[in-house]
Amino acid sequence: MKKINDAVDVIIVGLGWAGSIMGIELAQAGLKVRALERGEDRLNSDYAYPKPADELAFTKRHKIMQSPHDAAFTIRHNASETALPMRELGAFRLGDGVGGAGLHWTGMITRPTPVDLKMKTYADEHFKRGELDEELRIADFPVSWEEIEPHMDFFDKVCGSSGETGNLRGVIQQGGDPFEGARSNPFPNKPLEDSLNATLFRQATQEMGLHPYSMPSAAVSVPYTNPYGQQIAPCNYCGFCQFYSCLNYSKASPQTAILDRLKQFNNFDYKTRANVIRVEKHADGKTATGVTYIDENGDEVFQPASIVILSTFGLNNVRLLLNSSIGKPYNPITEEGVIGRNYTHQYGGGFTLFFDNLEFNPFATAGPTGTVISDYGTGNVETAQLGFIGGAKIYSSQPTGTPMAAAIKKGAPSWGSGWKKALKESYGHSMGVKLEGSNMATRGNYLDLDPVYKDRFGMPLLRVTYDYVQNDLRMLQYMKEKMEAITKHLNPTQYSHNILKMDSHFASSPNYVNTHNAGGAIMGDNPRTSALNRYLQSWDVHNLFVMGANAFPQNFYANPSAMVAGLAYWSAKAIREQYLKNPGPLVQA
Amino acid sequence: MKLQLRYLLMAGLVSTAVQAADNQDATLIAKGEYLARAGDCTACHSIAGGKEFGGGLAIASPMGVIYSTNISPDPEAGIGKYTEQEFADAVRKGIRRDGKHLYPAMPYPDYRGITDEDIHALYVYFMKGVKPVAEKAPETSLMFPFSQRWGMWFWNVAFTEDKPFAPRHSVPDDINRGKYLVETLGHCGSCHTPRGIGMQEKALNESSDKYLAGGELNGWPVPSLRGMPTWSIQNITDYLATGRNDFASVGGEMTGVVEHSMQHMNDQDLHAIAAYLKSLPADTPVINRRADAEQETKKTADYLTQGHNLNAGQMLYMNNCEACHWTDGNGAKGIFPRLNGGDVVIADNPTGLINIILQGAQTPSTPKAPSVMAMPGFASRLSDEQVAQLATFVRSGWSNNAPAVTPKEVTKVRESLAKP
């Protein structure tokens, strides 16, 4: 028989960044809040020095990542292929457990730009009809820069973001990113120190007339106390960020920035190993009554709640919506339906430069150390003549010093003693010039439920139908030229690159690209083309709010966390100030 | 759909028990609860995960294990049948309702000075504000002759004073409030005053310069609180409220004191405690620091940074400690304690430092500083010899100039930790 928990005001599904933000914002409002987390509890003390300094466990064996055992994805390039399950999460890697992706992220806290938020408007203004590929499905975010910026600003304070301000209330600042959207406040902390590669990149791009600035970092540069009273320690450049929980309390994570404060609220609690399989709806279909989860004993439990917040990873949010029959699934042929549309990933790649005579000290680094240029970001260069819309940031970072991940010179064997010899010779002598590129949504890239494969609870897996977008591949060829120019200016002994070609196709594994999945349950002004309104409220079920990058109509070239967190604060404000007084749809369609 | 906003309404109330009581009781109960926190009653009279004030905590003493009693208002298992006078006698004189004597694991010699007014509030709180716990705590049965509780009569005659609290004349109220809290409810002397032949505190108030002069407790060096020359009033207040300040973090027994007691006290009282401690004449400090602190610090930091020909202790420091405490040993303000000049580090007695290296430490989560920050213990990673080498370097690097540590000393601490 199904168990039933005591009712709560708010149930939060997934306790990562978004779940923690919603948790503290709504607990502060006095509501009884409970979070359900599928994975394990994760405490800072579990990752005390030197436990995380283990490349095999964390990078190679994905110790704090979602395992395909819990939920794999099936993948195909287009609707004519049969999707197969990912046996290893390669091209993207999701977080798992308390803290979610916020525990293992690299800590690059880059924001989108005002242009990114109004892409459709920008496209209409800068491209003639027919200049852009027909398959693109560009849309505006239904929020303005002025609306969302204060919330990203608050998140910067929560994280203790360290960086150089480029645009303070409309006034361009020396040394920062002149292309960034206006900030209401400067970065709370000074930037991290440059490592050698960052210094070289800064110097080269400056000489070329470009505008380098320090990577905005959520690994703080100085001892810091955030607005919740949580203390974040100064980064010691240990080299274990991406895929690792910070052993030094330096990288902002739900653990270091929110959870210890949140746990002090008597009206908040959380359960781990609680695998939510479905949102339950009232008979009229207009409201949710709570969620059903499988507990650690394998028992089915119903958790009644007045408000349901989905804050699992974006892909998992989409899957939960589909498995709960909330919103109409997207059909790529008729283009009807909203759940699953506009799925996007993000482009990585870059040049590896070898310098025989330079020592880069790969261990003296933090995930977000590095210097960046946004000169080729969306809207910062006219691209109508070049046949693409979008852009990239180009940067040199040194996110980890771990030897298994180190670059090796061309021509070396990929295993055995020859590989080891080459690794020894190459280690510490290379730097990267990398890109992170925008990804436009298309008609044919989407998410739905797999008709064949199910998880261990009998729930269908999420099927990802995705291939690279021609518009974007053209963008990458343009970026490649720009990167090659920077590379040549740096004058290395030898270099190589792995930028996608025009005929490249998406490979889901084994190589990691990034975890910046977006779309699938997007926000918009029109319930026929979006799943969520501007407050991330479901158009169909008004007491259901969905947090995550699933809300992005297309993917920009920045890292998603700042925007995901900004949107969560924005949504929490709407719930507190509008929804609680008058529960119902916050936007009339 | 209607939201359940009952929690908003309940947020301001302490417990359901309060609802039933009239206003006067409610005020007294709140006051009593605060005083019970100040007296740190929870620390001894509850066990982790157990019901509050249900007793049963095992307190190791040289005479055997003493179990704390159930002090909830349950009439059978707890103190529900106590009259206010009987309650006062138990708290202040160590005499139970049945006339038998309590062991001075209960700090009644310190509680002797609690005012009648405060006893009244405590009594009302324990009778009306605490939930009864029906389970009996385990009986204490010490070996002979300590099993003879009447023998405590002699102890009390010899070692306790039957005098009420005596304020100091012509000092600000703040200092007298601090004196009262430190001497009575805070029972700071029970750890920070050296003990005599009968296990008694050598002094129960400032009339003797032994009072709060520090010493050793369960193998830990206990710092002197007299005058605290290197700490400001703000440093002390921060430490008590949050378990950390600009340069130190709480460790050992004091962690529980901050967690259960001090973090719940108001700013005024914490300030009063700090002001009082600062008003005591300081002992002659043992100087285990070098005179040219700045230059010596730079010397060590440069040497570690160069990284050539490091000795075993320096190497161990770089591989285990430098990540948080940095090459200059100064840690991170408000987060990682300072080793360069740190009180525990350069204490004459190195056991506190050894203890922390072996066991680690963890800050409590308090309203003013919620972050739980843990230093890992290195017991499983480092041998006794390595701990000794590391401790010796830490005690002599930078501006520090404290005596070396031997592997034997480490072995002794490790063995004491292995005991249940």
Side-chain angles (χ1 to χ4, degrees):
Chain A
M1 203 187 75
K2 201 166 174 172
K3 291 185 193 167
I4 299 178
N5 281 348
D6 58 315
V8 293
D9 295 327
V10 182
I11 191 72
I12 291 175
V13 184
L15 194 53
W17 268 130
S20 302
I21 289 168
M22 297 309 280
I24 197 157
E25 288 291 306
L26 299 178
Q28 276 174 346
L31 300 174
K32 179 167 180 170
V33 180
R34 175 169 296 154
L36 299 174
E37 167 55 48
R38 177 168 70 185
E40 303 293 326
D41 202 358
R42 301 194 194 283
L43 305 173
N44 268 330
S45 51
D46 297 338
Y47 304 96
Y49 180 86
K51 288 177 219 169
D54 182 346
E55 186 180 10
L56 192 63
F58 287 87
T59 299
K60 296 291 173 187
R61 294 183 180 159
H62 311 172
K63 191 170 177 178
I64 52 175
M65 304 288 162
Q66 176 174 321
S67 153
H69 171 267
D70 293 320
F73 303 97
T74 68
I75 300 244
R76 59 181 181 172
H77 289 126
N78 55 60
S80 67
E81 291 179 0
T82 301
L84 293 172
M86 290 169 87
R87 300 291 180 188
E88 177 186 16
L89 299 192
F92 49 84
R93 223 174 275 170
L94 280 52
D96 172 56
V98 171
L103 192 66
H104 75 73
W105 69 319
T106 311
M108 293 180 179
I109 187 159
T110 317
R111 294 175 172 190
T113 66
V115 172
D116 291 328
L117 300 194
K118 297 294 169 196
M119 277 290 280
K120 179 75 169 76
T121 307
Y122 172 79
D124 290 346
E125 283 170 4
H126 288 78
F127 295 82
K128 292 192 203 97
R129 188 173 281 275
E131 245 174 356
L132 290 171
D133 294 352
E134 192 278 327
E135 65 163 350
L136 301 185
R137 293 293 177 271
I138 296 168
D140 284 348
F141 279 80
V143 288
S144 68
W145 179 260
E146 289 68 30
E147 283 171 319
I148 204 69
E149 197 282 334
H151 301 289
M152 290 196 286
D153 181 66
F154 185 70
F155 187 59
D156 272 327
K157 293 192 176 85
V158 170
C159 290
S161 300
S162 300
E164 286 161 319
T165 306
N167 181 342
L168 186 60
R169 298 178 209 110
V171 182
I172 301 301
Q173 310 289 304
Q174 197 64 35
D177 175 12
F179 302 103
E180 72 175 348
R183 289 178 177 270
S184 48
N185 288 295
F187 277 94
N189 293 311
K190 64 176 186 176
L192 294 178
E193 302 286 333
D194 278 358
S195 44
L196 177 58
N197 62 308
T199 307
L200 292 176
F201 183 85
R202 188 187 291 274
Q203 198 182 336
T205 48
Q206 223 147 30
E207 284 165 6
M208 295 170 76
L210 302 165
H211 300 85
Y213 59 96
S214 298
M215 182 76 77
S217 165
V220 307
S221 55
V222 292
Y224 179 73
T225 302
N226 80 6
Y228 300 124
Q230 295 225 171
Q231 298 160 298
I232 310 185
C235 175
N236 64 14
Y237 304 85
C238 78
F240 294 93
C241 287
Q242 191 183 59
F243 308 136
Y244 301 87
S245 169
C246 184
L247 54 78
N248 199 53
Y249 311 99
S250 306
K251 181 173 65 174
S253 64
Q255 277 80 353
T256 59
I258 298 178
L259 287 171
D260 287 331
R261 169 64 80 210
L262 179 52
K263 288 176 192 174
Q264 290 181 338
F265 282 85
N266 293 328
N267 49 335
F268 170 82
D269 63 14
Y270 67 110
K271 295 179 190 294
T272 55
R273 303 180 69 188
N275 210 317
V276 174
I277 55 169
R278 207 165 39 239
V279 177
E280 303 293 353
K281 283 183 293 184
H282 193 264
D284 66 7
K286 293 203 167 71
T287 55
T289 54
V291 300
T292 294
Y293 68 92
I294 311 292
D295 71 10
E296 55 192 320
N297 305 317
D299 292 330
E300 204 169 295
V301 185
F302 175 60
Q303 171 63 62
S306 307
I307 296 176
V308 176
I309 312 272
L310 296 187
S311 51
T312 73
F313 196 88
L315 289 167
N316 294 327
N317 281 345
V318 174
R319 179 170 175 237
L320 266 172
L321 290 169
L322 289 167
N323 274 326
S324 310
S325 303
I326 293 173
K328 192 176 172 188
Y330 172 70
N331 179 328
I333 297 161
T334 63
E335 291 200 65
E336 286 173 349
V338 293
I339 309 296
R341 71 159 63 216
N342 285 35
Y343 169 70
T344 50
H345 190 225
Q346 201 176 55
Y347 298 95
F351 283 66
T352 306
L353 290 60
F354 289 93
F355 294 85
D356 286 347
N357 301 322
L358 295 179
E359 291 271 358
F360 286 92
N361 193 358
F363 267 101
T365 185
T369 46
T371 38
V372 197
I373 54 164
S374 297
D375 294 77
Y376 308 115
T378 310
N380 302 341
V381 44
E382 286 294 338
T383 58
Q385 300 307 312
L386 303 163
F388 71 85
I389 184 168
K393 66 175 179 190
I394 296 173
Y395 64 102
S396 182
S397 73
Q398 189 179 293
T400 169
T402 53
M404 290 181 226
I408 301 188
K409 277 187 178 177
K410 268 189 284 195
S414 57
W415 59 281
S417 58
W419 173 76
K420 286 182 187 164
K421 184 168 173 284
L423 179 60
K424 273 186 197 161
E425 286 169 10
S426 304
Y427 189 73
H429 292 291
S430 74
M431 67 174 268
V433 172
K434 307 174 204 177
L435 71 76
E436 196 162 297
S438 59
N439 184 194
M440 295 302 128
T442 66
R443 175 182 178 151
N445 284 341
Y446 73 108
L447 306 170
D448 66 353
L449 290 178
D450 193 277
V452 180
Y453 294 96
K454 293 180 167 54
D455 69 10
R456 61 200 156 108
F457 307 117
M459 306 304 288
L461 297 187
L462 189 73
R463 178 168 66 177
V464 180
T465 301
Y466 181 77
D467 205 353
Y468 299 134
V469 178
Q470 289 296 304
N471 170 83
D472 300 351
L473 292 172
R474 286 197 287 276
M475 179 270 290
L476 293 177
Q477 307 317 303
Y478 173 78
M479 296 301 162
K480 188 182 135 197
E481 269 178 42
K482 300 297 176 193
M483 295 164 86
E484 191 147 25
I486 297 168
T487 298
K488 284 183 172 159
H489 192 91
L490 283 160
N491 194 26
T493 317
Q494 180 193 114
Y495 69 87
S496 59
H497 78 84
N498 65 348
I499 306 289
L500 297 173
K501 301 186 181 77
M502 283 309 294
D503 60 355
S504 298
H505 291 280
F506 181 63
S508 62
S509 56
N511 293 327
Y512 178 72
V513 182
N514 63 47
T515 301
H516 305 163
N517 294 273
I522 66 172
M523 61 195 302
D525 284 327
N526 184 343
R528 278 188 297 119
T529 51
S530 60
L532 312 172
N533 67 23
R534 66 198 307 261
Y535 300 110
L536 303 174
Q537 180 184 36
S538 161
W539 285 113
D540 299 277
V541 174
H542 68 72
N543 61 341
L544 174 68
F545 294 79
V546 185
M547 306 296 123
N550 56 267
F552 300 178
Q554 60 270 321
N555 213 347
F556 35 72
Y557 62 89
N559 309 62
S561 299
M563 185 64 179
V564 168
L567 285 172
Y569 279 112
W570 158 256
S571 178
K573 183 172 189 269
I575 294 173
R576 280 199 328 257
E577 294 178 4
Q578 300 174 52
Y579 189 79
L580 291 181
K581 283 177 206 147
N582 189 14
L586 294 173
V587 178
Q588 293 305 325
Chain B
M1 189 193 63
K2 206 177 156 205
L3 279 169
Q4 300 156 356
L5 294 174
R6 60 187 184 278
Y7 297 97
L8 275 176
L9 299 170
M10 280 176 61
L13 304 175
V14 178
S15 72
T16 43
V18 178
Q19 278 171 309
D22 62 24
N23 275 347
Q24 202 189 348
D25 267 3
T27 313
L28 270 176
I29 288 170
K31 184 181 172 189
E33 182 177 10
Y34 181 82
L35 294 170
R37 297 272 202 194
D40 203 3
C41 309
T42 333
C44 287
H45 288 279
S46 310
I47 50 172
K51 288 181 183 146
E52 198 167 37
F53 301 122
L57 185 81
I59 300 159
S61 85
M63 287 78 69
V65 175
I66 298 172
Y67 289 98
S68 67
T69 50
N70 181 331
I71 55 166
S72 79
D74 186 88
E76 301 306 323
I79 57 169
K81 287 181 181 161
Y82 276 58
T83 63
E84 185 166 334
Q85 189 55 51
E86 287 164 347
F87 175 79
D89 286 348
V91 171
R92 292 200 286 217
K93 296 181 181 166
I95 299 171
R96 298 199 308 210
R97 184 165 177 268
D98 63 4
K100 287 191 173 161
H101 286 277
L102 294 171
Y103 294 109
M106 155 81 175
Y108 60 82
D110 300 282
Y111 291 163
R112 180 64 194 83
I114 299 176
T115 61
D116 291 345
E117 200 190 334
D118 283 356
I119 284 284
H120 178 60
L122 280 165
Y123 180 72
V124 173
Y125 167 62
F126 275 105
M127 292 304 146
K128 296 184 179 174
V130 172
K131 280 190 190 144
V133 180
E135 295 103 72
K136 283 211 168 198
E139 288 284 331
T140 299
S141 57
L142 300 185
M143 58 186 170
F144 186 82
F146 305 108
S147 56
Q148 305 300 301
R149 285 177 179 267
W150 56 268
M152 292 313 302
W153 183 85
F154 294 102
W155 193 93
N156 289 340
V157 168
F159 298 130
T160 66
E161 290 173 30
D162 191 15
K163 284 183 196 155
F165 168 75
R168 217 192 275 168
H169 293 296
S170 63
V171 293
D173 289 350
D174 195 27
I175 286 184
N176 270 326
R177 172 69 178 165
K179 182 177 188 306
Y180 174 70
L181 288 168
V182 167
E183 275 182 22
T184 65
L185 286 159
H187 62 285
C188 308
S190 56
C191 289
H192 288 273
T193 298
R195 300 241 172 195
I197 43 161
M199 296 290 295
Q200 86 285 14
E201 293 167 41
K202 281 186 175 167
L204 292 171
N205 57 52
E206 64 187 39
S207 60
S208 157
D209 59 9
K210 299 261 186 337
Y211 184 61
L212 300 180
E216 201 180 299
L217 183 81
N218 303 333
W220 278 76
V222 178
S224 165
L225 303 183
R226 297 181 67 81
M228 304 189 73
T230 56
W231 290 36
S232 70
I233 286 181
Q234 191 59 48
N235 294 153
I236 301 170
T237 310
D238 289 346
Y239 189 83
L240 296 177
T242 68
R244 64 207 93 178
N245 61 24
D246 283 354
F247 50 83
S249 284
V250 73
E253 293 282 330
M254 194 64 195
T255 311
V257 177
V258 172
E259 189 171 356
H260 300 299
S261 174
M262 293 300 179
Q263 64 156 317
H264 302 287
M265 299 189 69
N266 64 45
D267 288 348
Q268 245 176 326
D269 279 348
L270 292 178
H271 190 272
I273 289 172
Y276 171 66
L277 296 177
K278 291 294 288 180
S279 80
L280 291 171
D283 304 320
T284 326
V286 182
I287 304 194
N288 285 329
R289 291 193 78 179
R290 297 173 203 279
D292 42 359
E294 216 164 289
Q295 207 184 325
E296 290 292 332
T297 296
K298 190 174 178 315
K299 234 160 89 182
T300 305
D302 286 349
Y303 194 78
L304 293 176
T305 306
Q306 297 289 331
H308 298 304
N309 305 317
L310 299 184
N311 67 29
Q314 291 162 334
M315 200 64 164
L316 285 161
Y317 179 78
M318 292 305 282
N319 286 334
N320 296 287
C321 320
E322 192 271 344
C324 298
H325 299 282
W326 301 86
T327 45
D328 60 12
N330 284 336
K333 199 177 168 188
I335 301 176
F336 298 129
R338 186 168 73 193
L339 304 184
N340 184 3
D343 296 276
V344 182
V345 180
I346 55 172
D348 261 354
N349 178 344
T351 48
L353 175 65
I354 297 169
N355 224 310
I356 291 173
I357 294 174
L358 290 173
Q359 284 196 95
Q362 186 163 310
T363 54
S365 183
T366 76
K368 284 189 180 152
S371 294
V372 179
M373 309 191 102
M375 166 176 156
F378 291 90
S380 61
R381 218 169 124 74
L382 303 181
S383 68
D384 291 353
E385 194 180 351
Q386 287 174 315
V387 173
Q389 287 164 334
L390 174 60
T392 298
F393 162 68
V394 167
R395 282 162 65 80
S396 61
W398 312 292
S399 70
N400 298 346
N401 194 18
V405 173
T406 65
K408 251 192 187 154
E409 287 174 293
V410 180
T411 310
K412 215 175 118 195
V413 177
R414 198 191 284 267
E415 280 169 358
S416 77
L417 297 181
K419 284 181 202 155

